[in-house]
Amino acid sequence: MTRMALSVAGIVVGVLLSATSAVAHDRGVLRLSTRELVVGNAVRVNGEKFSPSANLELVVVGTRGRIAVGKVTTDSAGRFQTDLDVPQHVAPGTYRLIAVADDGDEVATVDVTVTVWESDAILSAPADGPPTPSAEPPQLERAESPWVTGGALVSVVGALLLGLIALRRPTRHDRTVDA
């Protein structure tokens, strides 16, 4: 086999290994009636394109950590609909609403902003003024399955090793002939 054939074979094997390990869950879609969540109020959340009969936990993630806000189970078509209550202890700011599968994988996300009613903000505001949501998107860690991460890592290492083998193998022109 030539170097080129071995390199191509290494790339193909790497792509196949990473593709099989990345198909752990269907990627769902979250649709909200509004992306501005008000503390103490409910918002309608529709989900679709999930695995059928999947158990999902809904969490909001921001600079202060993860806050569980609900659990849902999808129907046989992979859809759900629920009213999500925004807990009183969620501080105003920018968050990401995430649907998390039973094994900890994120299967859908949407950015949201949490605010408080004006009268609530004035009553609970510190002396220097009412709190304001941040305009910056949160820098969040992405929850991924160790199987997905491990599969991707094995794929990359395997492709690199096959590529190195292809580069180290001498060709017909590199060999010396004793006369």
Side-chain angles (χ1 to χ4, degrees), residues 151-171:
L153 184 61
V154 166
S155 299
V156 169
V157 170
L160 286 173
L161 288 175
L162 286 173
L164 286 174
I165 290 170
L167 290 174
R168 304 288 282 164
R169 187 172 181 196
T171 63

Side-chain angles (χ1 to χ4, degrees), residues 6 14 23 36 40 66 72 77 103 105 121 123 126 135 138 151 171 177:
L6 281 174
V23 186
E36 186 173 325
R66 297 172 80 89
V72 296
D103 64 359
D105 277 352
L123 292 175
T171 63
V177 179

Side-chain angles (χ1 to χ4, degrees), residues 63-145:
T63 56
R64 297 181 187 202
R66 297 172 80 89
I67 302 168
V69 291
K71 291 188 179 212
V72 296
T73 301
T74 62
D75 62 15
S76 60
R79 296 184 302 243
F80 72 86
Q81 182 176 30
T82 189
D83 289 325
L84 183 71
D85 292 320
V86 183
Q88 294 288 338
H89 64 278
V90 178
T94 303
Y95 292 87
R96 183 168 287 146
L97 176 64
I98 303 173
V100 181
D102 283 339
D103 64 359
D105 277 352
E106 291 181 7
V107 291
T109 66
V110 63
D111 291 331
V112 296
T113 301
V114 175
T115 60
V116 294
W117 285 107
E118 278 300 313
S119 62
D120 294 341
I122 293 169
L123 292 175
S124 64
D128 60 346
T132 57
S134 71
E136 298 296 320
Q139 299 299 319
L140 306 172
E141 286 186 37
R142 306 299 270 169
E144 293 292 336
S145 166

Side-chain angles (χ1 to χ4, degrees), residues 1-25:
M1 257 189 175
T2 66
R3 271 189 207 170
M4 182 65 133
L6 281 174
S7 295
V8 169
I11 291 170
V12 169
V13 168
V15 167
L16 288 176
L17 285 174
S18 65
T20 57
S21 64
V23 186
H25 293 285

